[in-house]
């Protein structure tokens, strides 16, 4: 008789009672590039299933663990399991000692340091002052239609029902409210093809794109105050393509423009603004995602801000990039970004997270959830 158990892959072990550095290294050293999160999702599900105070749910490679103590409020604490591709920066390594120690490697910042904080608290807090839904989701670093949080919001909206949400994206252990929206358009410049030896017979579309670039160069992005936080906008060419051969005058050129807009603007208003800037050109929207207002005037959000800033110090700041707080905002749930790691180091080959930030974020969240 054959041994069928030999065909079942062994689930990697995660010790959720380990110190934060050990737990973060265990998460990071188990690769989970977008689309390859199953092994890590299995490990997270297996580790959390040992705790009787948690109900475990799963959709694809998204794992949800939630308490049910009957508290009057419920909060979501969420983080994604996937990373961008590895760049010879695993396994992790610990550099320095004491307050100067840093954990180097893919995912330490974006965002397995935050996931380690979540897991440690999910295991330890059997009776938090708010019921908590801990969400560990897949496919954040790729196309938005693959995003595990979005998939769960569509398929199981009751799993995300809450009064407030915290996204453990890297914020340098500071509190960042809301996020900018993002819009991408193609500005299309027409031309007329001709042999490059007889250029006068054609119209060079690449040359014509110069006016598009001049408008961008002259554009002055706004800084917009929203609920006390100042969001810096941005309007930039991010791609340009044109031409078919080295001896042909290009008959078309396309400039892809990315507009990062303050959360006070709707996607429709953002698109109208871009179309006004490029009046006279064909403008085709290719992607848009609404931003999220800070929401710090919500009572639960205000309590959270007071609790975490008492531990970490500083003042609330805006999130300039787009994050999944916007998904919670679309569900009517106020949400903030709060996690270890400098977002400027996310996706970089020298990605690294100060150990003190792991501890600070853990202690701040614990203080809030046990107050």
């Amino acid at each position: 008789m054959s041994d069928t158990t030999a065909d079942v892959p062994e689930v990697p072990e995660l010790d959720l009672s380990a110190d934060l550095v050990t737990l973060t290294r265990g998460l990071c050293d188990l690769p989970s590039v977008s689309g390859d999160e199953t092994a890590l999702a299995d490990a997270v599900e297996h580790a959390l299933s040992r705790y009787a105070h948690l109900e475990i749910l799963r959709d694809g490679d998204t794992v949800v663990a939630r308490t049910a103590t009957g508290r009057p409020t419920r909060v979501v604490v969420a983080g994604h399991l996937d990373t961008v591709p590895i760049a010879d920066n695993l396994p992790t390594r610990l550099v320095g000692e004491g307050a100067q120690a840093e954990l180097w490697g893919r995912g330490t910042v974006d965002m397995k340091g935050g996931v380690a904080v979540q897991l440690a608290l999910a295991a330890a807090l059997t009776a938090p002052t708010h019921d908590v839904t801990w969400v560990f989701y897949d496919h954040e670093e790729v196309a938005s239609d693959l995003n595990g949080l979005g998939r769960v919001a569509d398929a199981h909206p009751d799993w995300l029902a809450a009064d407030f949400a915290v996204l453990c994206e890297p914020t340098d252990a500071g509190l960042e409210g809301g996020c900018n929206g993002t819009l991408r358009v193609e500005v299309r410049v027409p031309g007329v093809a001709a042999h490059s030896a007889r250029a006068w017979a054609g119209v060079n579309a690449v040359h014509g794109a110069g006016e598009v670039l001049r408008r961008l160069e002259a554009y002055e992005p706004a800084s917009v105050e929203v609920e006390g936080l100042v969001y810096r906008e941005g309007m930039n060419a991010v791609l340009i393509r044109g031409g078919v051969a080295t001896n042909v005058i290009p008959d078309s050129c396309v400039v892809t423009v990315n507009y990062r807009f303050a959360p006070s603007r709707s996607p429709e208003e953002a698109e109208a603004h871009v179309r006004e800037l490029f009046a006279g050109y064909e403008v085709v929207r290719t992607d848009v995602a609404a931003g999220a207002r800070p929401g710090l005037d919500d009572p639960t959000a205000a309590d959270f801000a007071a609790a975490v800033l008492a531990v970490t110090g500083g003042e609330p700041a805006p999130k300039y990039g787009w994050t999944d707080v916007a998904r919670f905002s679309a569900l009517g749930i106020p949400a903030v970004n709060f996690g270890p790691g400098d977002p400027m180091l996310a996706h970089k080959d020298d990605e690294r997270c100060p150990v003190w930030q792991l501890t600070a974020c853990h202690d701040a969240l614990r203080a809030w959830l046990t107050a």
Side-chain angles (χ1 to χ4, degrees), residues 24 27-28 32 40 77-84 105-119 135-138 140-141 149 166-171 319 323-324 336-343 345-347 351 353 358 365:
T24 303
L27 293 167
C28 292
S32 58
L40 182 55
V77 183
H80 62 83
L81 298 175
D82 60 320
T83 72
V84 296
R106 175 64 76 227
T108 53
V109 171
D110 195 9
M111 58 172 292
K112 292 183 179 180
V115 169
V117 169
Q118 288 181 257
L119 287 170
V135 180
F136 308 88
Y137 62 101
D138 58 291
E140 191 273 345
E141 299 288 7
L149 189 65
V166 179
L167 187 65
C168 293
E169 283 279 359
T171 62
K319 171 63 80 175
T323 73
D324 279 314
V336 298
N337 305 277
F338 177 68
D342 180 352
L345 293 173
H347 302 184
E351 186 175 349
C353 181
L358 295 172
L365 279 169

Side-chain angles (χ1 to χ4, degrees), residues 140-234:
E140 191 273 345
E141 299 288 7
V142 287
S144 62
D145 60 338
L146 299 175
N147 186 291
L149 189 65
R151 185 179 68 246
V152 168
D154 290 338
H156 311 284
D158 56 304
W159 292 9
L160 300 179
D163 301 285
F164 179 61
V166 179
L167 187 65
C168 293
E169 283 279 359
T171 62
D172 240 354
L175 176 61
E176 295 184 341
C179 68
N180 274 336
T182 181
L183 169 72
R184 292 180 182 85
V185 302
E186 291 184 348
V187 182
R188 299 179 176 177
V189 182
V192 177
H195 196 294
S196 59
R198 302 171 182 83
W200 60 87
V203 177
N204 195 312
V206 171
H207 293 181
E211 174 58 23
V212 173
L213 300 179
R214 281 189 289 273
R215 292 187 192 184
L216 284 168
E217 187 177 27
Y219 181 82
E220 295 185 5
S223 293
V224 182
E225 183 172 337
V226 182
E227 298 173 12
L229 300 182
V230 178
Y231 292 82
R232 295 177 59 181
E233 296 193 332

Side-chain angles (χ1 to χ4, degrees), residues 60-355:
D61 287 332
T62 290
V63 179
V64 174
R66 60 188 183 185
T67 64
T69 62
R71 303 296 191 198
T73 54
R74 175 173 291 277
V75 300
V76 171
V77 183
H80 62 83
L81 298 175
D82 60 320
T83 72
V84 296
I86 297 161
D88 195 27
N89 51 2
L90 286 182
T92 53
R93 56 194 175 96
L94 186 62
V95 178
E97 297 180 353
Q100 304 301 317
E102 294 180 317
L103 188 58
W104 288 59
R106 175 64 76 227
T108 53
V109 171
D110 195 9
M111 58 172 292
K112 292 183 179 180
V115 169
V117 169
Q118 288 181 257
L119 287 170
L121 291 172
L125 300 183
T126 59
T129 51
H130 305 276
D131 268 317
V132 186
T133 302
W134 306 94
V135 180
F136 308 88
Y137 62 101
D138 58 291
H139 283 90
E140 191 273 345
E141 299 288 7
V142 287
S144 62
D145 60 338
L146 299 175
N147 186 291
L149 189 65
R151 185 179 68 246
V152 168
D154 290 338
H156 311 284
D158 56 304
W159 292 9
L160 300 179
D163 301 285
F164 179 61
V166 179
L167 187 65
C168 293
E169 283 279 359
T171 62
D172 240 354
L175 176 61
E176 295 184 341
C179 68
N180 274 336
T182 181
L183 169 72
R184 292 180 182 85
V185 302
E186 291 184 348
V187 182
R188 299 179 176 177
V189 182
V192 177
H195 196 294
S196 59
R198 302 171 182 83
W200 60 87
V203 177
N204 195 312
V206 171
H207 293 181
E211 174 58 23
V212 173
L213 300 179
R214 281 189 289 273
R215 292 187 192 184
L216 284 168
E217 187 177 27
Y219 181 82
E220 295 185 5
S223 293
V224 182
E225 183 172 337
V226 182
E227 298 173 12
L229 300 182
V230 178
Y231 292 82
R232 295 177 59 181
E233 296 193 332
M235 183 89 69
N236 290 281
V238 291
L239 292 171
I240 186 166
R241 69 178 188 272
V244 296
T246 58
N247 60 350
V248 177
I249 298 300
D251 63 353
S252 69
C253 184
V254 176
V255 181
T256 299
V257 175
N258 183 204
Y259 177 35
R260 299 290 176 143
F261 56 94
S264 55
R265 291 188 193 263
S266 68
E268 294 75 20
E269 290 169 334
E271 183 174 342
H273 179 63
V274 171
R275 290 186 180 278
E276 182 180 11
L277 178 63
F278 297 111
Y281 292 94
E282 181 184 5
V283 176
V284 178
R285 187 189 71 208
T286 59
D287 182 47
V288 66
R293 302 181 76 91
L296 294 175
D297 54 349
D298 176 85
T300 306
D303 287 346
F304 174 80
V308 300
L309 294 177
V311 175
T312 62
E315 297 289 336
K319 171 63 80 175
Y320 296 132
W322 188 92
T323 73
D324 279 314
V325 296
R327 296 187 188 276
F328 289 112
S329 180
L331 293 171
I333 303 170
V336 298
N337 305 277
F338 177 68
D342 180 352
M344 295 292 287
L345 293 173
H347 302 184
K348 292 179 70 67
D349 293 354
D350 59 348
E351 186 175 349
R352 61 195 183 276
C353 181
V355 170

